[in-house]
Coordinates of all heavy atoms in Angstrom, one line a residue:
F47 N -136.4 22.3 127.5 CA -135.6 23.5 127.3 C -136.1 24.4 126.2 O -135.7 25.5 126.0 CB -134.1 23.2 127.1 CG -133.4 22.7 128.3 CD1 -133.3 21.3 128.5 CD2 -132.9 23.5 129.2 CE1 -132.7 20.8 129.7 CE2 -132.3 23.1 130.4 CZ -132.2 21.7 130.6
G48 N -137.0 23.9 125.4 CA -137.6 24.6 124.3 C -136.7 25.0 123.2 O -136.9 26.0 122.5
I49 N -135.6 24.2 123.0 CA -134.6 24.4 122.0 C -134.7 23.3 121.0 O -134.7 22.1 121.4 CB -133.2 24.6 122.5 CG1 -133.2 25.8 123.5 CG2 -132.2 24.7 121.4 CD1 -131.9 25.9 124.3
D50 N -134.9 23.6 119.7 CA -135.1 22.5 118.7 C -133.9 21.8 118.2 O -134.0 20.7 117.8 CB -135.9 23.1 117.5 CG -137.3 23.6 117.9 OD1 -137.9 22.9 118.8 OD2 -137.8 24.5 117.4
S51 N -132.7 22.4 118.2 CA -131.6 21.7 117.6 C -130.6 21.3 118.7 O -130.0 22.2 119.4 CB -130.9 22.6 116.6 OG -130.4 23.8 117.2
W52 N -130.4 20.0 118.9 CA -129.5 19.5 119.8 C -128.6 18.6 119.1 O -128.9 18.0 118.1 CB -130.2 18.7 120.9 CG -131.0 19.6 121.8 CD1 -132.3 20.0 121.7 CD2 -130.5 20.2 123.0 NE1 -132.7 20.8 122.7 CE2 -131.6 20.9 123.6 CE3 -129.3 20.2 123.7 CZ2 -131.5 21.6 124.7 CZ3 -129.2 20.9 124.9 CH2 -130.3 21.6 125.4
P53 N -127.4 18.4 119.6 CA -126.5 17.4 118.9 C -127.0 16.0 119.1 O -127.9 15.8 120.0 CB -125.2 17.6 119.7 CG -125.5 18.2 121.0 CD -126.8 19.0 120.7
Q54 N -126.6 15.1 118.3 CA -127.0 13.7 118.4 C -126.5 13.1 119.7 O -125.3 13.2 120.0 CB -126.5 12.9 117.2 CG -127.1 13.2 115.9 CD -128.6 12.9 115.9 OE1 -129.4 13.7 116.1 NE2 -128.9 11.6 115.7
I55 N -127.4 12.7 120.5 CA -127.0 12.1 121.8 C -127.9 10.9 122.1 O -128.9 10.7 121.4 CB -127.2 13.1 123.0 CG1 -128.7 13.6 123.1 CG2 -126.3 14.3 122.9 CD1 -129.0 14.4 124.3
D56 N -127.5 10.1 123.0 CA -128.2 8.9 123.4 C -129.3 9.3 124.4 O -129.0 9.2 125.6 CB -127.3 7.8 123.9 CG -127.9 6.5 124.1 OD1 -129.2 6.4 124.2 OD2 -127.2 5.5 124.3
H57 N -130.4 9.7 123.9 CA -131.5 10.2 124.8 C -131.9 9.1 125.8 O -132.1 9.4 127.0 CB -132.7 10.6 124.0 CG -132.5 11.8 123.1 ND1 -132.4 13.1 123.6 CD2 -132.2 11.9 121.8 CE1 -132.2 13.9 122.6 NE2 -132.0 13.2 121.5
R58 N -132.2 7.9 125.4 CA -132.7 6.9 126.3 C -131.7 6.6 127.4 O -132.1 6.4 128.5 CB -133.0 5.6 125.5 CG -134.2 5.8 124.6 CD -134.9 4.6 124.3 NE -136.0 4.8 123.4 CZ -137.2 5.2 123.7 NH1 -137.5 5.4 125.0 NH2 -138.1 5.4 122.8
A59 N -130.4 6.5 127.1 CA -129.4 6.3 128.1 C -129.4 7.3 129.2 O -129.3 7.1 130.3 CB -128.0 6.2 127.4
I60 N -129.5 8.6 128.7 CA -129.6 9.7 129.7 C -130.8 9.6 130.6 O -130.8 9.9 131.8 CB -129.4 11.1 129.0 CG1 -128.0 11.2 128.5 CG2 -129.8 12.2 130.0 CD1 -127.8 12.5 127.6
L61 N -132.0 9.3 129.9 CA -133.2 9.2 130.7 C -133.1 8.0 131.7 O -133.7 8.1 132.8 CB -134.4 9.0 129.8 CG -134.8 10.2 129.0 CD1 -135.9 9.9 128.0 CD2 -135.3 11.3 130.0
E62 N -132.5 6.9 131.3 CA -132.3 5.8 132.2 C -131.3 6.1 133.4 O -131.4 5.5 134.5 CB -131.9 4.5 131.5 CG -133.1 4.0 130.6 CD -132.6 2.9 129.6 OE1 -131.5 2.4 129.8 OE2 -133.4 2.6 128.7
N63 N -130.4 6.9 133.1 CA -129.3 7.3 134.1 C -129.1 8.8 134.0 O -128.1 9.2 133.3 CB -128.1 6.4 133.8 CG -127.0 6.7 134.8 OD1 -127.2 7.5 135.8 ND2 -125.8 6.2 134.6
P64 N -129.9 9.6 134.6 CA -129.7 11.0 134.5 C -128.4 11.6 134.9 O -128.0 12.6 134.4 CB -130.8 11.6 135.5 CG -131.7 10.5 135.7 CD -130.9 9.2 135.5
T65 N -127.6 10.8 135.7 CA -126.3 11.3 136.0 C -125.3 11.3 134.8 O -124.2 11.8 134.9 CB -125.7 10.6 137.2 OG1 -125.6 9.2 136.9 CG2 -126.5 10.8 138.5
M66 N -125.7 10.8 133.7 CA -124.9 10.9 132.5 C -125.0 12.3 131.9 O -124.1 12.7 131.2 CB -125.4 9.9 131.4 CG -125.1 8.5 131.6 SD -125.8 7.4 130.3 CE -124.8 8.0 128.9
M67 N -126.0 13.1 132.4 CA -126.1 14.5 132.0 C -125.0 15.2 132.7 O -124.9 15.2 133.9 CB -127.5 15.0 132.4 CG -127.6 16.5 132.1 SD -127.7 17.0 130.4 CE -129.4 16.5 130.1
P68 N -124.1 15.9 132.0 CA -123.1 16.7 132.6 C -123.6 17.6 133.6 O -124.6 18.3 133.4 CB -122.5 17.5 131.4 CG -122.7 16.6 130.2 CD -124.1 16.0 130.5
G69 N -123.0 17.6 134.8 CA -123.4 18.5 135.8 C -124.3 17.9 136.9 O -124.5 18.4 137.9
L70 N -124.9 16.7 136.5 CA -125.8 16.0 137.5 C -124.9 15.0 138.2 O -124.4 14.1 137.5 CB -127.0 15.4 136.8 CG -128.0 16.4 136.3 CD1 -129.2 15.6 135.8 CD2 -128.4 17.4 137.4
K71 N -124.9 15.0 139.5 CA -124.1 14.0 140.2 C -125.0 12.9 140.8 O -124.6 11.7 140.8 CB -123.4 14.7 141.4 CG -122.4 15.7 141.0 CD -121.7 16.4 142.2 CE -120.7 17.4 141.7 NZ -120.1 18.1 142.9
H72 N -126.2 13.2 141.2 CA -127.0 12.2 141.8 C -128.5 12.7 141.8 O -128.7 13.9 142.1 CB -126.6 11.9 143.3 CG -127.4 10.8 143.9 ND1 -127.2 9.5 143.6 CD2 -128.3 10.9 144.9 CE1 -128.0 8.8 144.4 NE2 -128.7 9.6 145.1
V73 N -129.4 11.9 141.5 CA -130.8 12.2 141.5 C -131.5 11.1 142.3 O -131.4 9.9 142.1 CB -131.4 12.2 140.0 CG1 -132.9 12.5 140.1 CG2 -130.7 13.2 139.2
R74 N -132.3 11.6 143.3 CA -133.0 10.7 144.2 C -134.5 11.1 144.2 O -134.8 12.2 144.6 CB -132.4 10.7 145.6 CG -133.0 9.7 146.5 CD -132.3 9.6 147.8 NE -131.6 10.9 148.2 CZ -132.1 11.6 149.2 NH1 -133.1 11.3 149.9 NH2 -131.4 12.8 149.5
L75 N -135.4 10.2 143.8 CA -136.8 10.4 143.8 C -137.4 9.8 145.1 O -137.1 8.6 145.4 CB -137.4 9.8 142.6 CG -138.9 10.0 142.4 CD1 -139.3 11.4 142.3 CD2 -139.3 9.2 141.2
N76 N -138.2 10.5 145.8 CA -139.0 10.0 146.9 C -140.5 10.2 146.6 O -141.0 11.3 146.8 CB -138.6 10.8 148.2 CG -139.4 10.4 149.4 OD1 -140.4 9.7 149.3 ND2 -138.9 10.9 150.5
L77 N -141.1 9.2 146.0 CA -142.5 9.3 145.6 C -143.4 9.5 146.8 O -144.3 10.4 146.7 CB -142.9 8.1 144.8 CG -142.4 8.0 143.4 CD1 -142.8 6.7 142.7 CD2 -142.9 9.2 142.6
P78 N -143.3 8.8 147.9 CA -144.2 9.0 149.0 C -144.1 10.4 149.6 O -145.1 11.1 149.9 CB -143.8 8.0 150.1 CG -143.1 6.9 149.3 CD -142.5 7.6 148.2
G79 N -142.9 11.0 149.6 CA -142.7 12.3 150.1 C -142.9 13.4 149.0 O -142.8 14.6 149.3
R80 N -143.1 13.0 147.7 CA -143.3 13.8 146.6 C -142.2 14.8 146.4 O -142.3 16.0 146.2 CB -144.6 14.6 146.7 CG -145.9 13.7 146.6 CD -147.1 14.5 146.6 NE -146.9 15.9 147.1 CZ -147.6 16.5 148.0 NH1 -148.6 16.0 148.5 NH2 -147.2 17.8 148.4
T81 N -140.9 14.3 146.5 CA -139.8 15.1 146.4 C -138.8 14.5 145.5 O -138.8 13.2 145.3 CB -139.1 15.5 147.7 OG1 -138.6 14.3 148.3 CG2 -140.0 16.2 148.7
V82 N -137.9 15.3 144.9 CA -136.8 14.8 144.1 C -135.6 15.6 144.6 O -135.7 16.9 144.7 CB -137.0 14.8 142.6 CG1 -137.2 16.2 142.1 CG2 -135.8 14.2 141.9
V83 N -134.5 15.0 145.0 CA -133.3 15.7 145.4 C -132.3 15.5 144.2 O -132.0 14.4 143.7 CB -132.7 15.1 146.7 CG1 -131.3 15.7 147.0 CG2 -133.7 15.2 147.8
V84 N -131.7 16.6 143.8 CA -130.8 16.7 142.7 C -129.5 17.2 143.3 O -129.4 18.4 143.7 CB -131.3 17.5 141.5 CG1 -130.2 17.5 140.4 CG2 -132.6 17.0 141.0
E85 N -128.4 16.4 143.2 CA -127.1 16.9 143.5 C -126.4 17.3 142.2 O -126.4 16.5 141.3 CB -126.3 15.9 144.3 CG -126.9 15.6 145.7 CD -126.1 14.6 146.4 OE1 -124.9 14.4 146.2 OE2 -126.7 13.9 147.2
Y86 N -125.9 18.5 142.1 CA -125.4 19.0 140.8 C -124.1 19.7 141.0 O -123.7 20.1 142.1 CB -126.4 19.9 140.2 CG -126.7 21.2 141.0 CD1 -126.0 22.3 140.7 CD2 -127.6 21.2 142.0 CE1 -126.2 23.5 141.4 CE2 -127.9 22.3 142.7 CZ -127.2 23.5 142.4 OH -127.4 24.6 143.1
D87 N -123.4 19.9 139.9 CA -122.1 20.6 139.9 C -122.5 22.1 139.7 O -123.0 22.5 138.7 CB -121.3 20.1 138.7 CG -119.9 20.8 138.6 OD1 -119.8 21.9 139.2 OD2 -119.1 20.3 137.8
A88 N -122.2 22.9 140.7 CA -122.6 24.3 140.7 C -121.8 25.1 139.6 O -122.2 26.2 139.3 CB -122.4 24.9 142.1
A89 N -120.8 24.5 139.1 CA -120.1 25.2 138.0 C -120.8 25.1 136.7 O -120.7 25.9 135.8 CB -118.7 24.7 137.8
V90 N -121.6 24.0 136.5 CA -122.4 23.8 135.3 C -123.8 24.4 135.5 O -124.3 25.1 134.6 CB -122.5 22.3 135.0 CG1 -123.4 22.0 133.8 CG2 -121.1 21.7 134.8
W91 N -124.4 24.0 136.6 CA -125.8 24.5 136.9 C -125.6 25.6 138.0 O -125.6 25.3 139.1 CB -126.6 23.4 137.4 CG -126.9 22.3 136.4 CD1 -126.1 21.2 136.2 CD2 -128.0 22.1 135.6 NE1 -126.6 20.4 135.2 CE2 -127.8 21.0 134.9 CE3 -129.2 22.9 135.4 CZ2 -128.8 20.5 133.9 CZ3 -130.1 22.4 134.5 CH2 -129.9 21.2 133.8
Q92 N -125.5 26.8 137.6 CA -125.3 27.9 138.6 C -126.5 28.0 139.5 O -127.6 28.1 139.0 CB -125.0 29.2 137.8 CG -123.7 29.2 137.1 CD -123.4 30.6 136.5 OE1 -123.9 31.6 137.0 NE2 -122.5 30.6 135.5
P93 N -126.2 28.0 140.8 CA -127.3 28.1 141.8 C -128.2 29.3 141.6 O -129.5 29.1 141.7 CB -126.6 28.1 143.1 CG -125.3 27.5 142.9 CD -124.9 27.8 141.4
A94 N -127.7 30.4 141.2 CA -128.5 31.6 141.0 C -129.5 31.4 139.8 O -130.6 31.8 139.8 CB -127.7 32.8 140.7
W95 N -129.1 30.6 138.8 CA -129.9 30.3 137.7 C -131.1 29.4 138.1 O -132.2 29.7 137.8 CB -129.2 29.6 136.6 CG -128.2 30.4 135.8 CD1 -128.0 31.8 135.9 CD2 -127.3 30.0 134.8 NE1 -127.1 32.2 135.0 CE2 -126.6 31.1 134.3 CE3 -127.0 28.8 134.3 CZ2 -125.6 31.0 133.4 CZ3 -126.0 28.7 133.3 CH2 -125.3 29.8 132.9
L96 N -130.8 28.4 138.9 CA -131.8 27.5 139.4 C -132.8 28.3 140.3 O -134.1 28.1 140.2 CB -131.2 26.4 140.2 CG -130.4 25.4 139.3 CD1 -129.8 24.4 140.2 CD2 -131.3 24.7 138.3
D97 N -132.3 29.1 141.2 CA -133.2 29.9 142.0 C -134.2 30.8 141.2 O -135.4 30.8 141.4 CB -132.4 30.8 143.0 CG -131.8 30.0 144.1 OD1 -132.4 28.9 144.4 OD2 -130.8 30.5 144.7
E98 N -133.6 31.5 140.2 CA -134.4 32.4 139.4 C -135.3 31.6 138.5 O -136.5 32.0 138.3 CB -133.5 33.3 138.6 CG -134.3 34.4 137.9 CD -133.5 35.4 137.2 OE1 -132.3 35.4 137.2 OE2 -134.1 36.3 136.5
L99 N -134.9 30.5 138.0 CA -135.7 29.7 137.1 C -137.0 29.2 137.9 O -138.1 29.2 137.3 CB -134.9 28.4 136.7 CG -135.6 27.4 135.8 CD1 -136.0 28.0 134.5 CD2 -134.8 26.2 135.6
M100 N -136.8 28.9 139.1 CA -138.0 28.4 139.9 C -138.8 29.5 140.5 O -140.0 29.2 140.8 CB -137.5 27.4 141.0 CG -136.8 26.2 140.5 SD -137.8 25.2 139.3 CE -139.2 24.8 140.3
H101 N -138.3 30.7 140.5 CA -139.1 31.8 141.2 C -139.6 32.9 140.3 O -140.6 33.6 140.7 CB -138.3 32.3 142.4 CG -138.0 31.3 143.5 ND1 -136.8 30.7 143.6 CD2 -138.9 30.8 144.4 CE1 -136.9 29.9 144.6 NE2 -138.2 29.9 145.1
T102 N -139.0 33.1 139.2 CA -139.4 34.2 138.3 C -140.8 33.9 137.7 O -141.1 32.8 137.4 CB -138.4 34.6 137.2 OG1 -138.8 35.7 136.6 CG2 -138.3 33.5 136.2
G103 N -141.6 35.0 137.6 CA -142.9 34.9 136.9 C -142.8 35.3 135.4 O -143.8 35.3 134.7
D104 N -141.6 35.7 135.0 CA -141.4 36.2 133.6 C -141.0 35.1 132.7 O -139.9 34.5 132.8 CB -140.3 37.3 133.7 CG -140.0 37.9 132.4 OD1 -140.4 37.4 131.3 OD2 -139.2 38.9 132.4
A105 N -141.9 34.7 131.8 CA -141.7 33.6 130.9 C -140.4 33.8 130.0 O -139.7 32.9 129.7 CB -142.9 33.4 130.0
G106 N -140.2 35.1 129.6 CA -139.1 35.4 128.8 C -137.8 35.2 129.5 O -136.8 34.7 129.0
R107 N -137.8 35.5 130.8 CA -136.6 35.3 131.7 C -136.4 33.8 131.8 O -135.2 33.3 131.8 CB -136.9 35.9 133.0 CG -135.7 36.0 133.9 CD -134.7 37.1 133.4 NE -133.5 36.9 134.2 CZ -132.4 36.6 133.6 NH1 -132.2 36.6 132.3 NH2 -131.3 36.4 134.4
V108 N -137.4 33.0 132.0 CA -137.3 31.5 132.1 C -136.6 31.0 130.8 O -135.7 30.2 130.9 CB -138.6 30.8 132.3 CG1 -138.5 29.3 132.2 CG2 -139.2 31.2 133.7
R109 N -137.1 31.4 129.7 CA -136.5 31.0 128.4 C -135.0 31.4 128.3 O -134.2 30.6 127.9 CB -137.3 31.5 127.2 CG -138.5 30.7 126.9 CD -139.2 31.1 125.6 NE -139.8 32.4 125.7 CZ -141.0 32.7 126.2 NH1 -141.7 31.7 126.7 NH2 -141.5 33.9 126.2
S110 N -134.7 32.6 128.7 CA -133.3 33.1 128.7 C -132.4 32.2 129.6 O -131.3 31.8 129.2 CB -133.3 34.5 129.1 OG -131.9 35.0 129.2

Side-chain angles (χ1 to χ4, degrees):
F47 291 96
I49 299 171
D50 293 327
S51 61
W52 289 91
Q54 290 295 98
I55 59 171
D56 189 344
H57 295 283
R58 293 207 184 273
I60 290 174
L61 287 173
E62 290 171 11
N63 181 7
T65 58
M66 286 179 65
M67 174 71 79
L70 291 185
K71 296 178 179 180
H72 186 72
V73 177
R74 184 172 32 107
L75 179 64
N76 176 347
L77 284 175
R80 296 183 341 226
T81 63
V82 61
V83 174
V84 179
E85 293 179 28
Y86 64 92
D87 181 343
V90 177
W91 297 84
Q92 292 185 22
W95 289 353
L96 293 174
D97 286 336
E98 188 172 0
L99 179 66
M100 295 307 297
H101 294 105
T102 186
D104 181 347
R107 191 74 191 118
V108 169
R109 281 190 287 279
S110 174

